[in-house]
Amino acid sequence: MAARGGRVAVLGGGVAGLTAATELAERGFEVTVVEPTGWGGKARSSSVPGTGTGGRLDLPSEHGFRFFPGFYRSLPDTLRRIPFAGRPDGVAGNLREATHMLSARSGRIGERLTDVSSAAGARSPLEFLRAIGLGTGGTGLSSEELLYYANRLLVYITSSEERRLGQWESTSWWDFSRADGASEEYRKACVVGTTRTVVAARAEVCSTHTVGGFLEAFCYGFLGRGEVQPADRVLNGPTSTAWIDPWVRHLASLGVRLELGRRVERLTVSGGAVTGAVLRGPHGEREELTADWYVCALPVDRLGPLLERGLAAADPELKSVTELRTDWMVGIQFYLREPVPVVRGHVLFLDSPWALTSISQAQFWDHDFRATYGDGTVADCLSVDVSAWDTPGVLYGKPARECTRAEVAAEVWAQLCDGLNGPGRPGLHPGLLHSWHLDPAVRGLDGPGPAVNDEALLINTTGSWAARPSAVTAAPNLFMAGDHVRCPVNLATMEGANQAARLAVNALLEAAGHPADPAEVHRLHQPEELRRLKEVDAELYHQGRPHLLDGPAPWEPRA
């Protein structure tokens, strides 16, 4: 073999593919990574061409802002191993704590600012409920509603793994939260807002296994349980500058062959094993990449066409990935002439029909924004994620998918103003706006056909766990990675992609009989004091009985 352990072809250069390459190269494998679009996948940042003058860089842009919740453990471990000049802890030294979270409401009526910093010390569960925006806006939630939502969270965190996979995986967050018959405020704050602003999914279809698991993990991080680290962190510059580019340079220093602009067109299979990957180059040329081992780290929406071109021949059960659904969580950046930090952290716009979240980025970056980017007049970048593309907006009465790009920008700006402008705060106004940039992965908004998104996000709908592949396939030399692969973080995230890659690497090491230690796959924190409650629930579940604490909502009719 050409290297200790052999040659590995990693198909896809997103977070999963680059993670797999790192783990394998460190263990002596000869690794080639192929990526058609850009290193880092959906996590990468880019720039707005032609906007930099006078020696300044073009304005930075991105698919959507990056943030690193406190329950991320596998990904920070990777960041610490990527060298960065002047940082003894590598790229991890480029993380900055986001200390506050704002739940914005229309006209600022009932908004809530929450200190999520590690300096705030120990917190109570009630503070967690308030942190995610409950009890805000209008008349707020009643005590009865707040207590029932607390019950919903308690039911989930004390549920056994058997019930989570057997019952809550097939139960929508809408049904679990008992949204039917509930007040508008309960639905907005507890049901719809939670799913749309955090996981970009509709509560009616997103599984409780996913939403409950995310809230559980975020809750423990907020309460300071498990590994002690800030509940929310962001990078100190554009993602590619602060993380992806140093990562690619590090991989090159490890001897990894990096092939950008090559798309996997077909897998060749013989005797049940993969014998090659046919690639198409940037000018249409074809070549075949051969290796001893293959790690498929392609996004889920690129697997469908590959199924008909070799992937299904390697493992027919992979056809189930066609059942997985994606949705749009798209970034738009507003470049402002003056700094508008709003809050040192993220903003959730609970009243926005397009489920907006935002962050003011310049306050976290180590360099002067005005002197570094654009034409010298841009002082800040308000980066916004748009998560609901099928709901009519406030200006044009149309969903985002049916708007032009300019209409999307105007609509998002109007919804930002609705949540941020009001007494006691300098408001957003047209004079602040220098320009905007909408993710180019969204095409067709200006016609003539329907709009498409080249980089959609996996949505964990009810029952989707069964359709998601594991890292091991029927082909002895093919392994799956990506945020659609089953892993401890049951959500399409950078952490999930990193964990899935580690699982693929460990399966490859076992198949190769390689002596290296496996990559650590960090599990989510599970309090020991809840263990007995989960054991009791497992017994109840096997008996076909409901969770001990599960009951009807106060607004539901009693038998």
Side-chain angles (χ1 to χ4, degrees):
M1 288 187 176
R4 184 165 59 93
R7 299 168 300 155
V8 184
V10 178
L11 313 177
V15 172
L18 298 183
T19 299
T22 302
E23 299 290 344
L24 290 165
E26 289 179 348
R27 289 163 174 79
F29 287 83
E30 180 184 323
V31 182
T32 299
V33 187
V34 295
E35 162 60 33
T37 307
W39 300 120
K42 288 190 286 291
R44 73 188 185 278
S45 58
S46 54
S47 58
V48 186
T51 55
T53 64
R56 286 174 290 268
L57 301 173
D58 287 339
L59 291 169
S61 64
E62 58 203 346
H63 175 75
F65 57 73
R66 304 294 103 202
F67 80 108
F68 301 76
F71 64 84
Y72 278 22
R73 296 177 62 202
S74 294
L75 185 60
D77 173 68
T78 297
L79 299 184
R80 285 188 287 269
R81 288 149 50 198
I82 302 171
F84 195 93
R87 308 282 188 210
D89 52 351
V91 164
N94 289 333
L95 293 174
R96 299 290 180 266
E97 184 175 14
T99 59
H100 290 77
M101 180 174 68
L102 176 65
S103 295
R105 304 305 299 258
S106 179
R108 299 194 62 198
I109 300 173
E111 70 177 18
R112 182 175 294 276
L113 179 66
T114 305
D115 186 344
V116 298
S117 69
S118 53
R123 300 180 177 92
S124 69
L126 180 58
E127 287 175 294
F128 170 73
L129 292 175
R130 289 173 175 162
I132 59 177
L134 305 190
T136 66
T139 58
L141 293 176
S142 68
S143 298
E144 195 174 50
E145 290 171 321
L146 185 62
L147 285 172
Y148 185 71
Y149 190 67
N151 166 267
R152 297 291 81 199
L153 297 179
L154 186 60
V155 166
Y156 187 83
I157 67 175
T158 57
S159 289
S160 60
E161 287 302 311
E162 292 88 342
R163 190 179 300 279
R164 293 184 183 200
L165 283 171
Q167 182 178 1
W168 303 142
E169 169 63 23
S170 58
T171 303
S172 72
W173 185 247
W174 180 274
D175 291 340
F176 178 81
S177 301
R178 306 292 205 274
D180 286 332
S183 70
E184 181 181 355
E185 182 65 17
Y186 178 86
R187 292 184 184 182
K188 183 178 293 185
C190 303
V191 187
V192 177
T194 300
T195 55
R196 271 305 195 187
T197 58
V198 176
V199 298
R202 291 190 296 114
E204 296 88 340
V205 300
C206 195
S207 82
T208 298
H209 183 205
T210 292
V211 180
F214 176 86
L215 289 175
E216 176 187 41
F218 186 79
C219 173
Y220 292 144
F222 179 77
L223 297 177
R225 303 298 302 270
E227 185 174 320
V228 179
Q229 54 187 4
D232 188 3
R233 289 176 291 180
V234 297
L235 288 165
N236 64 348
T239 308
S240 291
T241 303
W243 170 25
I244 303 299
D245 292 345
W247 199 0
V248 172
R249 290 194 295 269
H250 176 56
L251 288 172
S253 74
L254 294 176
V256 174
R257 178 185 165 198
L258 298 155
E259 297 288 345
L260 185 63
R262 284 166 171 72
R263 183 180 301 274
V264 181
E265 192 171 72
R266 176 184 300 275
L267 297 181
T268 55
V269 180
S270 178
V274 178
T275 58
V278 178
L279 311 177
R280 180 181 286 272
H283 305 293
E285 69 277 14
R286 285 189 176 89
E287 62 177 301
E288 186 167 16
L289 174 64
T290 60
D292 304 298
W293 312 98
Y294 297 82
V295 177
C296 183
L298 297 172
V300 66
D301 54 346
R302 295 185 187 171
L303 293 179
L306 200 60
L307 286 169
E308 301 174 359
R309 304 186 182 105
L311 191 58
D315 187 346
E317 292 191 6
L318 290 173
K319 291 180 180 179
S320 65
V321 300
T322 59
E323 302 172 23
L324 298 175
R325 293 177 56 181
T326 60
D327 207 340
W328 295 17
M329 191 174 195
V330 176
I332 181 171
Q333 290 80 52
F334 292 95
Y335 304 105
L336 308 180
R337 301 182 188 278
E338 298 296 335
V340 184
V342 183
V343 63
R344 191 168 177 81
H346 292 92
V347 183
L348 280 64
F349 295 81
L350 294 183
D351 294 317
S352 66
W354 287 5
L356 306 182
T357 48
S358 76
I359 191 165
S360 300
Q361 293 183 317
Q363 62 185 321
F364 295 101
W365 292 7
D366 288 351
H367 41 267
D368 183 274
F369 198 99
R370 198 191 305 266
T372 307
Y373 302 104
D375 60 6
T377 68
V378 179
D380 205 349
C381 175
L382 182 59
S383 185
V384 184
D385 279 350
V386 183
S387 298
W389 283 74
D390 297 308
T391 307
V394 299
L395 288 183
Y396 306 105
K398 298 187 295 185
R401 291 178 195 262
E402 297 178 11
C403 291
T404 65
R405 298 181 79 84
E407 287 174 340
V408 168
E411 184 73 68
V412 172
W413 182 262
Q415 293 180 35
L416 292 173
C417 291
D418 179 66
L420 294 179
N421 290 354
R425 180 190 294 132
L428 298 179
H429 57 83
L432 277 176
L433 186 59
H434 173 278
S435 55
W436 53 267
H437 184 260
L438 178 63
D439 185 3
V442 176
R443 298 181 291 107
L445 288 175
D446 293 317
V452 297
N453 186 349
D454 291 335
E455 296 185 299
L457 186 71
L458 172 71
I459 300 301
N460 299 69
T461 54
T462 55
S464 61
W465 180 265
R468 293 169 61 185
S470 64
V472 179
T473 73
N477 65 339
L478 174 65
F479 308 91
M480 302 297 292
D483 58 17
H484 56 282
V485 173
R486 297 178 189 174
C487 63
V489 176
N490 179 33
L491 183 64
T493 57
M494 298 183 296
E495 178 79 349
N498 186 279
Q499 287 185 344
R502 291 168 181 247
L503 291 170
V505 167
N506 292 347
L508 191 157
L509 293 175
E510 183 176 355
H514 199 283
D517 291 335
E520 184 176 5
V521 181
H522 301 82
R523 302 287 167 175
L524 295 173
H525 175 66
Q526 295 296 324
E528 177 61 25
E529 54 265 40
L530 297 182
R531 180 175 59 84
R532 182 55 188 151
L533 286 172
K534 294 181 179 181
E535 290 174 349
V536 169
D537 185 60
E539 296 171 8
L540 292 173
Y541 180 75
H542 287 305
Q543 295 168 14
R545 298 166 63 187
H547 189 285
L548 188 65
L549 301 176
D550 198 8
W555 50 85
E556 292 180 317
R558 303 301 176 104

